[in-house]
Amino acid sequence: MNIFMMLAPMSVLLGLIGVGAFWWTVSHGQYEDPAGDAARILLDDDEHPSRD
Amino acid sequence: MALAYDLSPAPDLDAFVTRKAGARPRLELLVKGARCAACLGKIERETQALPGVSSARLNLTTGKLSVEFASTADAGAVISTLERLGYPASPYDPGLAAEAADREGRRLILCLAVAAFGAMNTMMFSVPLWAGLFGQELGPATRTVMQWWCALVATPCVLFAGRPFFESAWRSVRVRRANMDVPISIGVLLTLAISFSETLLHGRDTYFDAAVSLLFLLLIGRWMDHQLKARARSAAADLLALQAPVAIVLDGRGLEHRRPIADVRVDDVLIVRPGDRIPVDGRVIAGFAELDASLLTGETRPISMRQGDVCRAGALNLSGALQLRAIARSEDSAVAAIARLVEAGAQSKSKYVQLSEKAAQIYVPVVHSAAALTFLGGWALGLGVRESLLRAVAVLIITCPCALGLAVPAVQVSASSRLFRRGVLVKSGAALERLAEVDHVVFDKTGVLTEGRPQLVDAEAGIVAQAAPLARASSHPLAKAIAEAAGPGPLAEDVVEHPGLGVEGVIGGRRARLGRAGFLGVANAQARETELWFGFEGDIKVRLAFSDRLREDAAKAVADLKAMGLTVEVLSGDAPRAVAMAADAAGIVQRRAGLTPMEKADAIAALQSEGHKVLMVGDGLNDTAALARAHAAMAPGSALDASQNAADLVFSGARLGAVVEAIDIARQARRRALENFGFAAAYNLVAAPAAMLGLVNPFLAALAMSGSSLAVTLNALRLRRAA
C-alpha cells in the first residue's frame, strides 16, 4: 500500500506535466502551420533569422 | 487622353501596415500559389533581403505572409517583389474577429487537454474499482482510497473542462430556453455530486470516470465544430481580402494614391485603368472606355462610356483609362441596395433548424423524463432514495448525448474536408445539410455555365496569326484572347493604343489596325456579338468574333444532376439569344432571360413557395439577392466578393462538376448523420431500460459510452475515405 501512496501522486504529476507541455505547445503556436513546418526542415539555410 | 499612362504608379499601400505602440510595423499579406518548401524558402529569403524588412514568415497552411519592418515600411516593395517571384499577393486586415475566434479555439483545446488528462487518470484509479465489481479482492478501505483519488483528479478537471458547457447552459437558461448544454451540464454535475456522496457513504458505485470521459468526448465534438466554423470564417475573410478593394485617387497636384475603397469620399477624382473594376459609383469626367457590366446585370455586351456618363460600381473597365468623379461612397453605391436584399435573405436562412437541433428537441425531454421516472419509480417501488438516485444518474450517463454532440460535427468535418480537397469551400455545417435537401438547381449563365471571359470563335488561323503581333501589345481583354489563341510570337512596332477604339501599329512594314468597326472605317451598324476588326492599311478588313465559351464539363454536370433526380433551370440577365445558345449547349430546357436582380430573387422565391428546395449557383452581383434567397447557394471562386459572401459554398477551378460532387457528398453526409442518430436511438433503447433496472455498473457505463462514441465517429470517418 505504501508503494501505491507514492506511485499515485507521481502518476498524476506526470500527467500534469504532459498537460503543461501540451499547453505550452498550443500557446506557442506550434499547430498553426503544419504544412509549413513539414516543408521548413527541407530548407538548407541553417541560420534562419525569423523567429516569432 | 492617355492621361493615366504617363503617371508612374505610386502605390500607397501603407494603409494596410499596422503600427502598434511598442511594436514594429507589420504587414499581413495573403500569398497565392505558394505550395512547397521551395516556394516558402524563396519567398521568405527574397522578402527578407528587402531594405527595411526585419523578418518575414510565411504560413504555408493558410498562405499568409507576415512581414515585420525595422523602421520604415514599404508595403509596395514587398508586393512587387512577390509578384516578380510569381506569387500574387494582396494585403489583408487580420482583424479583431479572427483573434477572438482564436482565443475561443485555444480555450477549447485547453479544456480538451484537461479533460483528456482527467479521463486517463481517473480511469487508471477506476481499474481496481472495476476489478472489485467482478469479484476480485478489494477491501472497502482500499476502495474508498481509490474513490478519493478519482474524486481528487476528476473534480477539478470536470469543473474546469466543463466550463464551455456550463456557461452556454447558463446563458440559455437565463433566457428560459434549453439547449443541449443544459442536460449535459445537469448530467455531469449530478453525476459528480452523487459520486461524492457515495464515496462519503462508502458506497460501491461511483461514476467519476464517466463524468470526465463524457466531457472529453463532447469536447472533441465541440472542438471539431469550432474548427469547421473558424476555417470557414477565415476563408470567407480571405476571400474579402483577396479582392483588396483599392481605389486610385488623384489628389489636387495630380499625384496618385491607392486608398481602401471605404476611404473614398464623394467628389474624389478616381482613375480606373483597363482591367480594373469601378470602385464606387462615379461620373466620367475624362476618357472613353467600354465597360463589362456582366457581373452587375449578366449582360455580356460591353457598354460604351464617355464624358458625363455614370458608371456603376463593380463594372469592369475593358478598354481605356477613365477619370471619374465619385458620386457616392462605397456603402451608398448601387451595390448597397443589393446588399440589403442579401441581408434579408440571410436572415430567413438563419431560421433553418439543423438536424442536431431537431434531434436535441426530441432527445432532451425524453431523456430527462426517463431519468425522472426512474427516480420516482424506484422510490415508489421502495428502493430508497439513494438507490433510486443512483439509477437515475446511471440513466443520464448511459444515454449520454455523444451521438448528437460528437457524431454530427464528425460527419460535417469529414464531409467538408473531403470537399475542401476538391476545391469546394463549405461555410457551415448547416449549409451542407441544406444542400443535401435540394431538389431544383438554378444556374446563372455568365460566369457559371460559361467561363465568363470572351474567347475567339470560328477564326481562321492565318488571320489570327496576322493580328497577333498587334494583339500582344494591347491589354484589352479581347486582344488578350487573340494573343492567347495565337500563342507566343513577335510584337508589332510603333504601337499606339487608342483607348476605347483599338490599337494601331506596324507589322512587317505595313501599318495595321485592330479595334472597333468604326476605328477601321468599316460601316458596320449592328454589332450583335462581341467583336473586333483587323486589317492592314488599304487592305480588306476582317471580323473576329468572340463569345463566352461554355465550361468544358457543363453538359456533363447538367446530365449528372438530372440523373440524381434534380431539375435544372437557367435564370440569366443576358439577352435571350445568348441564353438560349448556352442553355441548348448545356442541355437545359427551362430557361429565362433578361431578368433583373429582383426578378431573379422573386423567381427563386416563387419556386420555393411551390415547395421546391432550390440550389442557386451564381457569380454576379445580380445573383447575390437570389443566392441569399435560395435554400442553398454556391458561387465559383471567380465570383464577386458579395456573391461569395452570400453563397454557402464556394468552388474553385474551371469544373462545374464541383456542384455535382458537393450535392453528392452533402447527401452522403446527411445519410451518415441519420445513420448515427438511428444507431444512437437503438443503443439508447437497449441501454436506458438496462440502467433503469439497475443492471448497469460503472464499468459497463464507461464501456457503453466510449463504445457508442467510437462507433458513430468511425461511421462518420467512412465519408472521408469513400471515393
Side-chain angles (χ1 to χ4, degrees):
Chain A
M1 211 56 203
N2 283 339
I3 187 70
F4 174 78
M5 281 308 167
M6 249 175 67
L7 285 176
M10 274 168 71
S11 77
V12 172
L13 190 73
L14 280 176
L16 282 175
I17 291 173
V19 172
F22 177 70
W23 175 240
W24 184 84
T25 60
V26 171
S27 60
H28 283 71
Q30 303 224 354
Y31 304 99
E32 261 155 41
D33 184 16
D37 294 337
R40 245 169 247 280
I41 64 161
L42 300 173
L43 296 180
D44 280 335
D45 40 347
D46 285 332
E47 33 176 5
H48 215 278
S50 83
R51 191 169 289 162
D52 281 355
Chain B
M1 203 53 173
L3 45 105
Y5 291 114
D6 346 304
L7 293 167
S8 67
D12 184 14
L13 290 162
D14 284 354
F16 292 99
V17 177
T18 49
R19 290 182 173 78
K20 276 184 199 152
R24 290 175 162 170
R26 284 183 89 86
L27 175 71
E28 305 281 331
L29 292 167
L30 207 55
V31 182
K32 264 189 167 177
R35 289 277 176 277
C36 58
C39 312
L40 182 121
K42 198 159 60 175
I43 288 172
E44 288 188 348
R45 215 167 32 243
E46 297 278 327
T47 314
Q48 265 159 15
L50 289 172
V53 173
S54 74
S55 83
R57 193 168 176 94
L58 179 73
N59 184 326
L60 206 59
T61 315
T62 55
K64 284 168 188 167
L65 177 68
S66 171
V67 184
E68 213 173 74
F69 297 95
S71 49
T72 50
D74 186 0
V78 175
I79 292 177
S80 54
T81 303
L82 290 170
E83 254 158 36
R84 186 171 48 78
L85 292 172
Y87 306 100
S90 45
Y92 82 100
D93 185 7
L96 286 170
E99 250 171 60
D102 193 26
R103 252 203 314 277
E104 174 68 17
R106 280 189 183 178
R107 202 185 118 179
L108 277 175
I109 266 283
L110 183 59
C111 288
L112 188 61
V114 169
F117 158 80
M120 282 190 287
N121 282 281
T122 328
M123 206 83 73
M124 182 179 72
F125 293 118
S126 297
V127 170
L129 295 174
W130 293 337
L133 290 173
F134 289 92
Q136 298 297 310
E137 189 184 322
L138 182 75
T142 317
R143 189 172 66 201
T144 307
V145 167
M146 290 296 172
Q147 284 173 342
W148 276 118
W149 270 110
C150 284
L152 193 71
V153 176
T155 313
C157 288
V158 165
L159 294 182
F160 181 85
R163 280 185 316 163
F165 301 97
F166 304 153
E167 284 166 15
S168 145
W170 178 239
R171 273 198 301 274
S172 89
V173 163
R174 269 215 318 226
V175 295
R176 292 166 193 287
R177 287 230 303 275
N179 61 7
M180 272 305 289
D181 293 337
V182 178
I184 291 172
S185 305
I186 294 178
V188 167
L189 290 176
L190 201 59
T191 308
L192 203 62
I194 291 288
S195 304
F196 249 118
S197 78
E198 282 297 300
T199 308
L200 281 173
L201 297 169
H202 302 291
R204 199 192 58 163
D205 292 352
T206 55
Y207 292 93
F208 289 113
D209 60 306
V212 203
S213 7
L214 179 64
L215 279 181
F216 173 58
L217 291 169
L218 288 170
L219 276 168
I220 296 177
R222 196 57 59 99
W223 184 72
M224 283 202 281
D225 202 36
H226 175 82
Q227 287 295 97
L228 189 65
K229 279 189 196 140
R231 191 170 58 192
R233 204 173 17 232
S234 97
D238 292 351
L239 293 173
L240 273 180
L242 267 184
Q243 314 268 341
V246 178
I248 305 173
V249 180
L250 213 59
D251 69 9
R253 290 170 297 155
L255 290 176
E256 291 182 28
H257 297 279
R258 276 166 177 264
R259 262 199 226 148
I261 282 192
D263 294 351
V264 175
R265 290 178 299 267
V266 174
D267 282 342
D268 274 350
V269 176
L270 310 170
I271 289 180
V272 184
R273 299 220 169 85
D276 287 348
R277 290 196 183 277
I278 309 281
V280 297
D281 292 358
R283 192 179 297 280
V284 180
I285 51 177
F288 174 88
E290 284 174 317
L291 296 188
D292 171 7
S294 63
L295 279 171
L296 287 159
T297 61
E299 195 173 349
T300 41
R301 203 170 55 183
I303 316 161
S304 302
M305 286 287 163
R306 58 193 76 237
Q307 203 171 331
D309 287 342
V310 171
C311 308
R312 295 210 336 205
L316 182 69
N317 186 351
L318 291 179
S319 40
L322 284 177
Q323 240 186 58
L324 300 178
R325 188 175 296 283
I327 57 172
R329 288 163 20 110
S330 170
E331 306 94 279
D332 307 326
S333 289
V335 185
I338 296 180
R340 277 192 288 278
L341 280 176
V342 171
E343 231 166 79
Q347 266 174 9
S348 74
K349 259 187 201 172
S350 66
K351 288 183 196 136
Y352 180 80
V353 185
Q354 285 197 46
L355 266 180
S356 54
E357 289 168 35
K358 279 184 201 157
Q361 280 165 8
I362 305 170
Y363 167 86
V364 175
V366 167
V367 165
H368 275 201
S369 354
L373 267 176
T374 309
F375 175 68
L376 293 174
W379 202 13
L381 292 173
L383 281 177
V385 176
R386 190 173 149 198
E387 176 64 22
S388 315
L389 210 54
L390 256 181
R391 285 194 186 179
V393 166
V395 169
L396 277 184
I397 292 171
I398 206 104
T399 57
C400 93
C402 291
L404 302 168
L406 187 59
V408 171
V411 166
Q412 286 173 349
V413 165
S414 35
S416 63
S417 66
R418 196 171 139 202
L419 280 169
F420 194 75
R421 281 200 302 272
R422 299 184 178 207
V424 181
L425 175 82
V426 183
K427 288 213 196 145
S428 71
L432 267 183
E433 290 183 14
R434 285 198 305 264
L435 189 63
E437 296 170 0
V438 156
D439 63 358
H440 185 85
V441 183
V442 172
F443 284 107
D444 175 38
K445 182 188 78 77
T446 318
V448 175
L449 281 182
T450 65
E451 288 177 348
R453 58 197 168 95
Q455 262 157 343
L456 203 52
V457 282
D458 312 328
E460 283 175 44
I463 294 164
V464 174
Q466 276 184 340
L470 259 184
R472 285 185 198 110
S474 168
S475 62
H476 191 283
L478 293 184
K480 277 185 183 164
I482 297 179
E484 197 180 296
L491 275 176
E493 290 153 31
D494 297 334
V495 178
V496 184
E497 188 141 14
H498 299 268
L501 294 172
V503 290
E504 187 177 358
V506 178
I507 306 173
R510 296 171 73 191
R511 185 153 287 278
R513 280 182 166 189
L514 175 71
R516 294 159 66 90
F519 183 55
L520 277 90
V522 181
N524 182 297
Q526 48 163 352
R528 261 201 319 239
E529 276 167 273
T530 324
E531 58 172 19
L532 277 185
W533 287 78
F534 170 76
F536 289 102
E537 204 166 28
D539 208 338
I540 46 160
K541 313 288 187 262
V542 209
R543 180 168 173 273
L544 295 156
F546 297 84
S547 87
D548 191 4
R549 205 165 58 189
L550 214 61
R551 279 184 197 253
E552 220 165 275
D553 67 338
K556 187 181 177 304
V558 169
D560 287 348
L561 287 174
K562 285 180 176 164
M564 288 167 81
L566 299 155
T567 45
V568 186
E569 187 176 357
V570 178
L571 294 180
S572 175
D574 206 352
R577 212 176 79 93
V579 176
M581 264 170 57
D584 284 340
I588 302 174
V589 183
Q590 290 183 65
R591 63 191 69 156
R592 269 182 271 178
L595 299 178
T596 65
M598 281 303 288
E599 285 170 345
K600 273 196 187 189
D602 288 345
I604 302 271
L607 278 166
Q608 300 203 133
S609 64
E610 285 167 24
H612 284 294
K613 303 243 195 251
V614 179
L615 166 68
M616 172 79 201
V617 190
D619 72 328
L621 207 51
N622 59 331
D623 298 318
T624 43
L627 287 169
R629 186 69 68 87
H631 192 64
M634 278 183 90
S638 56
L640 273 190
D641 52 356
S643 313
Q644 296 192 347
N645 271 348
D648 300 312
L649 295 95
V650 176
F651 64 97
S652 56
R655 289 175 51 256
L656 207 57
V659 176
V660 184
E661 273 165 21
I663 297 179
D664 186 39
I665 292 177
R667 287 183 170 182
Q668 283 182 37
R670 187 183 167 79
R671 216 156 36 234
R672 291 283 168 277
L674 289 176
E675 274 171 22
N676 281 349
F677 287 149
F679 171 80
Y683 155 80
N684 280 334
L685 274 180
V686 177
M692 284 179 183
L693 297 174
L695 298 173
V696 170
N697 60 32
F699 177 68
L700 283 179
L703 212 59
M705 200 170 64
S706 9
S708 70
S709 303
L710 207 61
V712 291
T713 310
L714 288 179
N715 189 32
L717 289 181
R718 280 206 297 151
L719 199 59
R720 215 185 156 89
R721 205 165 38 99

